Amino acid sequence: MKFSLVLLVLGWRLRWLASRNPGFQKQLENRNVVMQWRTFAGKPARSFHFMPGKVVSKRGIHGEPTVTLNFKNASYAFATLQQAGKNQMAFMEGMQAGDIKIEGDPGQLMWFMTLMKFIMPGGKK
């Protein structure tokens, strides 16, 4: 439940930034990326479609994501996201352990990581 809520709030934040933050809007120029976050079991799942000027967030499995971030389960995903705020290596450690798997274009995940400065409240204006 907590992971689903985090994904929902992330979607709201991304849409808000896409409509109000010039720096974030600049990052969306020439983008057409579908990033999906899910558990190995497939639930919960949410996709974020980044395109010039907007971000569309939908629950469930996307048919053709550009990149998918798979977590072993929802509680692990929530704990990892909490830890990632303090330890940027949390994702890398999860991938090395096999608890997080990336499918698709990993370069798009790296691009998403550059957006973190905007996503955190009080981030870049």
Side-chain angles (χ1 to χ4, degrees), residues 61-111:
I61 301 290
H62 189 279
E64 295 184 43
T66 310
V67 63
T68 300
L69 194 57
N70 295 287
F71 296 89
K72 74 175 181 179
N73 59 47
S75 59
Y76 175 80
F78 181 75
T80 301
L81 292 172
Q82 278 187 307
Q83 185 182 12
K86 298 172 188 144
N87 175 11
Q88 294 181 348
M89 292 301 293
F91 278 95
M92 199 58 84
E93 292 165 359
M95 286 187 275
Q96 290 172 342
D99 297 331
I100 300 174
K101 295 184 179 170
I102 308 299
E103 294 175 17
D105 183 354
Q108 298 303 332
L109 179 60
M110 300 309 290
W111 168 76

Side-chain angles (χ1 to χ4, degrees), residues 44-59:
R46 182 163 287 273
S47 65
F48 306 99
H49 189 171
F50 298 89
M51 56 195 113
K54 69 179 180 176
V55 177
V56 176
S57 172
K58 293 184 179 179
R59 72 179 179 151

Side-chain angles (χ1 to χ4, degrees), residues 1-72:
M1 181 69 167
K2 292 177 184 178
F3 181 48
S4 294
L5 184 59
V6 167
L7 294 176
L8 179 64
V9 171
L10 177 60
W12 291 341
R13 178 72 176 158
L14 292 170
R15 285 196 326 263
W16 187 90
L17 289 165
S19 67
R20 293 179 178 85
N21 185 296
F24 189 83
Q25 292 166 342
K26 180 94 173 127
Q27 295 296 316
L28 297 179
E29 290 178 1
N30 303 313
R31 289 284 169 183
N32 185 14
V33 174
V34 176
M35 175 176 275
Q36 179 169 254
W37 295 40
R38 57 174 281 184
T39 62
F40 290 171
K43 288 186 179 179
R46 182 163 287 273
S47 65
F48 306 99
H49 189 171
F50 298 89
M51 56 195 113
K54 69 179 180 176
V55 177
V56 176
S57 172
K58 293 184 179 179
R59 72 179 179 151
I61 301 290
H62 189 279
E64 295 184 43
T66 310
V67 63
T68 300
L69 194 57
N70 295 287
F71 296 89
K72 74 175 181 179

